[in-house]
Amino acid sequence: MSGCKRIAILSSGGDAPGMNAAIRAAALVGRSLGADILGIERGYKGLLDGAFVPLMPGDVQAILREGGTILGSARCKEFHHKEVRDKARANLANKGVDGLIVIGGNGSLTGALHLADPTEIGDGPSLKVIGVPASIDNDLGLTGMCIGVDTAMNTIVEACDKIADTATAHDRTFIIEVMGRDCGYLAMTSAIAVGADLALFPESGKPEAAIIDQIVNTVLTVRSRSRKSRRVIIIKAEGVSVPTERLKDLVDAALREKIPGSEPGMIETRVTVLGHVVRGGRPSAFDRLLGSRLGNVAVRALVGGISHKMTAWMPPDEVPEEVGSPSAFDPKIWLVDLAAVLVETENLIMGRSPLTRWRAGAFDQIGDALLL
Ligand code: F6P
């Protein structure tokens, strides 16, 4: 296995706080191991434009505390086409790049796997790739955590704590929508951390009517309590199929029916969509550390001649030996097969993974206890 001599790093898809820590670690460690390190701006889009930039120690030394990514990011739909990937491979070869680190989520890692697919490369210069999981959604298989999740959770908790103050003052119900695409992880975990009364997440598979019932029951239960604890905080994952404004209207209508004669203000549910606020901000200490450790192992793997893997933070499920194992460079950071990651990610999103079922089941138990 020949090791990589010239390694490029790109960040792609939705940015995540802590991506900079991974860029910094990979650049500094790679250089210390004798490799040339380049950055690519704006993900695969930048790769197609040949947007290579130097990544010298001075460029990365002070970026740990910055949110987003200093390399910029983009979504690149064209990358689904082989002719487009051929162009990307040619740009890498022209720059003498033999190793690529892709920091991103599901779509970005799929692009990385295709880019380094030997059947696509044919007689062309070989390319080694390592993926680094970064997505606030925590929707990637075979890693316990992705870069950005911890910061996003903290941002949600801070916002919800503030909303809870005003909700308590007015005895109000709030539905707070959080990002996560098709994955309810952020909604579930932050609901626990906030002490929310209910979490709504797509993995539960509940139809609209059942969701309305759940909310109405929650509101009625909480409203039957003493004056001090009559605010209702509901955290809703954006992946839940019912749009949040529609949910509010249906809940208010159902409550008006259940509590006839009540003042309209009493049952006027408020909605807050946190949106991209959740993705921004300074990375937490955990994300700085996680990004640094994943970036360190990624570049060491490439220099050591390893390819087609993703660095992972302690996979949550049992992983067969042929799929992954702890890396030789850091016992908590695994190297797992990139193709297997994408299969497991699909299972996770489609609800086929035991982990998805466990998360939903565990949350249902916790949810029942919350309302006692
Ligand atoms: O995947 C990260 C994420 O922030 C999702 O939670 C969200 O659905 C999506 O990206 C938003 O994407 P964009 O920034 O392209 O609107």
Side-chain angles (χ1 to χ4, degrees):
M1 279 194 298
S2 64
C4 297
K5 306 260 179 310
R6 194 152 227 239
I7 296 170
I9 305 170
L10 64 80
S11 46
S12 160
D15 56 290
M19 279 182 159
N20 283 330
I23 295 168
R24 175 179 176 273
L28 294 178
V29 173
R31 203 162 287 281
S32 78
L33 295 173
D36 266 351
I37 306 288
L38 299 172
I40 299 170
E41 291 179 333
R42 291 175 287 106
Y44 292 122
K45 269 198 193 301
L47 173 55
L48 293 170
D49 298 341
F52 293 91
V53 290
L55 271 185
M56 302 304 283
D59 298 318
V60 296
Q61 206 52 271
I63 63 173
L64 266 176
R65 72 176 80 156
E66 289 177 33
T69 158
I70 56 153
L71 291 174
S73 193
R75 300 199 189 273
C76 183
K77 289 252 174 339
E78 310 90 275
F79 222 69
H80 290 296
H81 304 289
K82 181 182 173 296
E83 324 74 81
V84 174
R85 294 195 293 271
D86 285 341
K87 181 166 185 230
R89 275 188 286 267
N91 284 352
L92 288 167
N94 286 341
K95 270 280 171 190
V97 171
D98 54 3
L100 179 68
I101 295 177
V102 173
I103 306 170
N106 192 6
S108 311
L109 299 186
T110 305
L113 194 64
H114 286 316
L115 206 54
D117 180 348
T119 60
E120 282 198 13
I121 292 176
D123 296 335
S126 80
L127 176 70
K128 292 189 165 55
V129 291
I130 296 284
V132 174
S135 165
I136 61 162
D137 305 338
N138 215 26
D139 60 351
L140 282 173
L142 302 182
T143 182
M145 284 290 258
C146 299
I147 294 172
V149 178
D150 183 67
T151 309
M153 272 192 300
N154 279 293
T155 303
I156 294 170
V157 168
E158 196 184 335
C160 289
D161 282 352
K162 288 181 175 156
I163 291 171
D165 288 344
T166 173
T168 305
H170 289 265
D171 281 351
R172 269 184 182 148
T173 297
F174 273 80
I175 302 176
I176 302 159
E177 184 190 296
V178 300
M179 273 192 171
R181 204 182 286 275
D182 301 316
C183 179
Y185 184 87
L186 276 180
M188 295 180 199
T189 51
S190 53
I192 295 169
V194 162
D197 303 286
L198 182 64
L200 304 170
F201 44 89
E203 291 86 344
S204 76
K206 290 199 167 82
E208 183 177 276
I211 295 174
I212 308 293
D213 276 355
Q214 238 188 327
I215 299 179
V216 168
N217 287 340
T218 303
V219 173
L220 293 178
T221 307
V222 173
R223 287 211 168 272
S224 66
R225 290 182 189 152
S226 70
R227 166 77 179 67
K228 263 198 131 180
S229 56
R230 290 175 63 196
R231 60 88 175 129
V232 183
I233 299 290
I234 296 162
I235 302 191
K236 171 187 179 273
E238 67 174 344
V240 172
S241 57
V242 192
T244 306
E245 278 297 337
R246 175 175 166 80
L247 208 54
K248 169 203 149 54
D249 291 344
L250 292 173
V251 165
D252 281 349
L255 281 172
R256 256 179 233 120
E257 241 175 63
K258 295 250 175 195
I259 325 173
S262 66
E263 287 172 45
M266 284 291 288
I267 48 175
E268 212 175 295
T269 306
R270 295 286 196 270
V271 163
T272 303
V273 177
L274 293 181
H276 287 79
V277 168
V278 171
R279 217 162 74 188
R282 285 189 173 203
S284 65
F286 180 84
D287 273 327
R288 296 181 200 197
L289 208 56
L290 181 65
S292 301
R293 292 174 78 166
L294 292 170
N296 168 49
V297 171
V299 79
R300 284 182 190 276
L302 285 177
V303 171
I306 298 170
S307 181
H308 292 70
K309 304 279 183 200
M310 182 188 82
T311 54
W313 171 255
M314 296 192 292
D317 289 324
E318 257 184 42
V319 177
E321 217 173 302
E322 63 278 12
V323 171
S325 55
S327 73
F329 318 111
D330 182 332
K332 295 277 161 78
I333 304 295
W334 286 49
L335 281 165
V336 289
D337 183 67
L338 196 45
V341 168
L342 299 176
V343 171
E344 196 44 36
T345 300
E346 181 76 4
N347 288 338
L348 204 70
I349 293 169
M350 300 309 292
R352 292 190 295 257
S353 144
L355 179 62
T356 321
R357 289 198 291 273
W358 178 84
R359 280 180 187 167
F363 200 86
D364 275 346
Q365 287 169 18
I366 295 166
D368 289 345
L370 287 179
L371 271 184
L372 287 178

